[in-house]
């Protein structure tokens, strides 16, 4: 059975979740999951920071394991140097034992690995525009 | 050090960038947010201002300067997806801004469609719309005891206003986008009658000067005429509303004078614009004397003889692309994804065709990159490259102040602190240097700030109009 970690962006009202196999997920993989689930992967001018929701401590160590069922706060901040944010590093980094297998937010689902989320979205959008009468 | 009250200014967006305007003012326990936009180079969450850094339930008011997406399109998200409604925050914009905003945002929601990163739904939008308070220019609005503001005309687009905000006697003028030139339909921005302590001003064009209006219009109409004469199509990517109305007025007049052009259709591909025409027509009183006079003569300037709206049925772009020469205004303005991009891709390989970029192009978009006339462009759909042989011309009709106009306005406003927003880093740095030099030459003192996003600017004020910057 898949495990989950709950997260919300600091300003958001509602929580979403990232699902994975195992008893915990690394900070690296959780960041990667959140980046993909929220389509932040092309965003080079921001960094994504994660915090423990009860202590407000930032998770600075990417290898730290967050136990399943935890709640995490995410925060988008400007990259210290514009265009040099760390997001591409998380998107590119693949090797991991606890890679997110699937996820579902409240009403959203994470793109499956290998599915070109970008072109997929454009296709959807195009359909949407074209099929609207007038 | 005595405990003087501190004004804190934090940009959640538009700090050393153009896009996602969002400025937080905090003073004596009050919090006012000016604008809530999105960044046109991004989609979904990535396009939002850095909203995680504010507890939205503490906000007393959000003031939206005008309907452009980079100033207004994250408002629904803020109102419905954060804890904003846990507080007592009110939201204000002018009547015409609200009327146009509604249609624009309905379109925005439709465009985001079912994609996984749609920021909010049509229901969220409807919910938020009903609690936006519409106000009139020059009206003093009291938000709560000790907190009020007055909107002043900003030119730029229909309904655009700057806000003179009064927090416990401290006055801050936030301009939003503004223009000081009277154009074909709008009045120029006003200089407010009171001098604020702090001026937060746009700096899109930095120190750069605009070319004269007549010269520019002549260059524009000749260019259009030449492209048509050589058998090409003319594409103008525009934001559906705002400057497009100005371009239409210019083209209509030119077509009227040139019967040889009457066989060449001018299209305006915007359902939105059709819906919003009624708003333009009912807000003639907010426009300039020229428009008012024509309207009185029953010569409705927004009824066009030579310009037609396209029925946007499935596949219309292909039909237009393959049809005879024409002139078309289509969105999106930044050529991201949509009709303007599709037409561009179809017309790019033919040297007879021409692209005219008529507004400010935001960094990171094709509208910006194509100004350098690359040999190829990349298809938004297929990712393959397409040769670019069509001509590319940049003639700016964007209604932002240029350098000289901005200097003049800044000097008339006479604030001790000037905060530059809504400009790229280097553009802003040049403007800051320019302002400092001018004040130095006259032996006057002024502080010019160019905070980056989330760099909190703290200003302390003791007594009247004496202010000192601490920190950054
Ligand atoms: Zn604008
Ligand atoms: Zn703007």
């Amino acid at each position: 059975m898949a495990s989950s970690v709950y997260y919300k962006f600091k300003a958001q009202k509602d929580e979403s979740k990232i699902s994975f196999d195992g008893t915990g997920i690394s900070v690296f993989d959780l960041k990667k999951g959140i980046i993909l689930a929220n389509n932040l992967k092309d965003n080079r001018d921001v960094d994504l920071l994660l915090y423990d929701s009860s202590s407000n401590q930032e998770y600075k160590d990417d290898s730290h394991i967050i136990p399943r069922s935890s709640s995490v706060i995410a925060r988008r901040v400007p990259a210290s140097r514009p265009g040099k944010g760390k997001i591409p590093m998380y998107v590119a980094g693949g090797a991991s034992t606890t890679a997110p297998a699937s996820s579902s937010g409240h009403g959203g689902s994470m793109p499956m690995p290998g599915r070109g989320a970008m072109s997929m979205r454009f296709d959807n959008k195009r359909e949407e525009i074209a099929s609207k009468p007038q | 050090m005595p405990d003087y009250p501190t004004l804190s200014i934090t940009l959640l967006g538009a700090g050393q960038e153009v896009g996602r305007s969002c400025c937080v003012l905090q003073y004596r326990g009050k919090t006012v947010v000016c604008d809530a936009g999105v960044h046109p180079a991004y989609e979904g969450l990535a396009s939002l201002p850095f909203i995680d850094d504010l507890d939205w339930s503490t906000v007393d008011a959000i003031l939206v300067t005008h309907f452009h997406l980079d100033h207004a399109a994250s408002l629904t998200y803020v109102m419905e997806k954060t804890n904003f409604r846990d507080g007592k925050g009110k939201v204000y914009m002018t009547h015409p801004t609200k009327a146009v905003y509604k249609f624009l945002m309905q379109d925005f929601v439709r465009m985001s469609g079912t994609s996984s990163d749609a920021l909010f739904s049509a229901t969220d939008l409807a919910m938020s719309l009903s609690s936006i308070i519409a106000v009139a220019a020059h009206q003093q609005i009291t938000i709560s005891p000790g907190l009020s503001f007055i909107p002043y005309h900003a030119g730029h687009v229909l309904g655009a206003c700057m806000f003179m905000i009064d927090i416990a006697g401290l006055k801050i003028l936030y301009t939003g986008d503004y223009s000081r030139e009277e154009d074909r339909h709008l009045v120029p921005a006003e200089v407010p009658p009171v001098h604020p302590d702090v001026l937060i001003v746009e700096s899109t064009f930095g120190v750069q000067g605009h070319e004269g209006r007549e010269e520019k219009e002549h260059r524009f109409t000749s260019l259009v005429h030449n492209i048509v004469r050589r058998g090409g199509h003319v594409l103008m990517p525009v934001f559906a509303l705002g400057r497009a109305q100005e371009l239409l007025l210019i083209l209509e007049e030119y077509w009227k004078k040139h019967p040889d052009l009457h066989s060449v259709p001018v299209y305006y591909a915007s359902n939105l614009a059709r819906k919003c025409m009624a708003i333009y027509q009912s807000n003639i009183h907010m426009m300039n004397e020229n428009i008012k006079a024509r309207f009185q003569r029953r010569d409705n300037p927004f009824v066009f003889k030579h310009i037609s709206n396209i029925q946007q049925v499935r596949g219309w772009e292909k039909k237009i692309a393959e049809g005879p020469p024409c002139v078309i205004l289509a969105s999106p303005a930044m050529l991201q994804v949509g009709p303007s991009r599709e037409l561009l891709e179809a017309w790019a390989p033919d040297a007879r065709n021409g692209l005219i970029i008529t507004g400010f192009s935001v960094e990171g978009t094709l509208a910006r990159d194509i100004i350098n006339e690359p040999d190829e462009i990349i298809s938004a759909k297929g990712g393959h490259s397409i040769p670019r042989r069509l001509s590319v011309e940049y003639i700016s009709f964007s209604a932002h102040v240029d350098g000289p106009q901005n200097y003049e306005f800044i000097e008339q406003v006479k604030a001790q602190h000037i905060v530059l927003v809504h400009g790229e880093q280097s553009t802003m740095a040049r403007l800051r240097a320019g302002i400092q030099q001018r004040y130095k030459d006259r032996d006057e003192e002024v502080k010019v700030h160019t905070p980056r996003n989330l760099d909190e600017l703290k200003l302390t004020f003791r007594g009247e109009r004496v202010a000192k910057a601490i920190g950054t």
Side-chain angles (χ1 to χ4, degrees), chain B residues 192-312:
Chain B
V194 252
H195 299 304
D197 301 284
V198 181
L199 168 66
I200 303 172
V201 64
E202 71 137 307
S203 49
T204 316
F205 281 92
V207 295
Q208 196 188 317
H210 290 326
E211 67 180 303
R213 200 161 73 92
E214 259 172 60
E215 189 187 328
K216 182 169 70 185
E217 282 185 16
H218 177 73
R219 200 157 69 88
F220 171 67
T221 49
S222 325
L223 179 64
V224 170
H225 208 148
N226 284 341
I227 297 169
V228 170
R229 229 182 249 136
R230 71 187 186 221
H233 295 87
V234 183
L235 173 63
M236 286 172 241
V238 292
F239 187 68
L241 285 160
R243 301 327 294 157
Q245 274 57 45
E246 186 72 6
L247 294 174
L248 293 177
L249 289 167
I250 296 170
L251 288 170
E252 171 80 4
E253 189 184 290
Y254 191 77
W255 249 244
K256 206 187 236 165
K257 283 189 204 148
H258 294 82
D260 59 309
L261 283 170
H262 291 184
S263 58
V264 181
V266 181
Y267 297 119
Y268 182 25
S270 174
N271 294 327
L272 250 181
R274 205 185 51 228
K275 287 184 198 157
C276 292
M277 255 329 137
I279 303 170
Y280 272 74
Q281 296 186 9
S282 60
N283 281 285
I284 299 284
H285 63 277
M286 290 202 54
M287 297 178 199
N288 60 28
E289 293 309 318
N290 159 42
I291 294 284
K292 283 183 200 162
R294 281 184 61 183
F295 203 72
Q296 292 232 297
R297 296 197 302 269
R298 295 178 185 282
D299 168 21
N300 185 338
F302 293 104
V303 172
F304 300 108
K305 215 177 270 159
H306 302 285
I307 293 158
S308 38
N309 210 302
I310 289 184
Q311 282 290 314
Q312 287 174 278

Side-chain angles (χ1 to χ4, degrees), chain A residues 9-13 38-40 43 45-46 74-78 80 121-122 125-132 134, chain B residues 20 42-43 45-46 48-53 77 80-82 110-111 115 117 271 312 337 342 380-381 452-454:
Chain A
F9 283 87
K10 205 169 166 210
Q12 279 175 335
K13 274 193 305 201
N38 292 281
N39 214 342
L40 294 170
N43 215 198
D45 64 357
V46 309
R75 182 171 162 239
R76 288 161 59 236
V77 296
S80 43
R121 193 181 70 227
F122 286 166
K125 190 162 278 186
R126 202 152 283 281
E127 283 279 311
E128 183 64 19
I129 297 164
S131 59
K132 285 280 174 226
Q134 292 180 334
Chain B
R20 59 175 152 198
Y42 301 113
E43 297 192 39
L45 215 60
L48 294 178
F50 294 98
I51 57 168
D52 290 327
D53 276 62
Y77 189 91
E80 305 302 326
K81 301 289 186 188
T82 74
R110 203 165 38 234
M111 298 287 277
S115 77
D117 54 8
N271 294 327
Q312 287 174 278
V337 189
E342 196 163 322
K381 238 195 291 189
R452 298 192 317 160
N453 288 334
L454 299 196

Side-chain angles (χ1 to χ4, degrees), chain B residues 65-71 156-157 160 176-178 202 204 239 241 243 399-400 422:
Chain B
T65 55
H66 65 291
F67 58 66
H68 275 153
L69 298 182
D70 63 320
H71 296 259
H156 190 59
V157 291
D177 295 349
Y178 80 105
E202 71 137 307
T204 316
F239 187 68
L241 285 160
R243 301 327 294 157
H400 293 273
H422 199 287

